[in-house]
Amino acid sequence: MTPVTGPLGDTRRPPTAVEAAERGATRIADRVVAKIAAQAAREALDPLPPDAVPPHATVVVHHQSAHVRVHLELGYPSDIGAHCNAVRRHVAERVDALTGMEVPEVTVHVERLHLVPATAAAQGRTR
């Protein structure tokens, strides 16, 4: 193919129309989706308990669907169900927004609870 010379001597190939179906596809690796999911879980839990290990995720991608499993640690006492729901919702939204994949399931595994010291007034008689 002969290059086309345009203004100012630049050379470029002539434009060709390639059908969308023939252009190929972009595949996002499972580990990249897992990193996105872990970051989204951190965002949903901000701030983490002082000794907590940051959340990590594993992902299985099948076609355009990502099944996510998030492992995290939470402060205690807290509303564990509300935290898990917030993580599920935020992870599903962020993975969908950043990858375009459907997220039919986000499984949350709470691996450890960290005792968060309460303020002196809230503690009462508990030590």
Side-chain angles (χ1 to χ4, degrees), residues 68-83:
V68 181
R69 178 170 288 165
V70 178
H71 303 267
L72 50 85
E73 299 179 4
L74 295 174
Y76 183 82
S78 66
D79 187 350
I80 295 169
H83 285 302

Side-chain angles (χ1 to χ4, degrees), residues 15-122:
T16 57
V18 178
E19 295 296 320
E22 296 176 17
R23 290 186 204 144
T26 301
R27 183 179 185 291
I28 302 171
D30 294 8
R31 68 186 179 131
V32 173
V33 180
K35 287 181 181 185
I36 292 170
Q39 177 60 38
R42 280 191 291 277
E43 292 169 1
L45 292 175
D46 193 40
L48 293 173
D51 298 344
V53 173
H56 62 279
T58 55
V59 175
V60 176
V61 176
H62 186 68
H63 299 291
Q64 283 298 312
S65 180
H67 297 269
V68 181
R69 178 170 288 165
V70 178
H71 303 267
L72 50 85
E73 299 179 4
L74 295 174
Y76 183 82
S78 66
D79 187 350
I80 295 169
H83 285 302
C84 291
N85 285 335
V87 167
R88 277 188 204 97
R89 184 176 49 256
H90 193 67
V91 167
E93 289 172 359
R94 295 298 290 161
V95 170
D96 179 34
L98 294 173
T99 66
M101 293 180 184
E102 179 184 339
V103 185
E105 116 182 88
V106 176
T107 304
V108 177
H109 289 268
V110 178
E111 295 186 346
R112 185 173 175 197
L113 297 174
H114 293 268
L115 186 60
V116 177
T119 61

Side-chain angles (χ1 to χ4, degrees), residues 3-12:
V4 177
T5 305
L8 301 176
D10 69 333
T11 59
R12 53 194 154 129

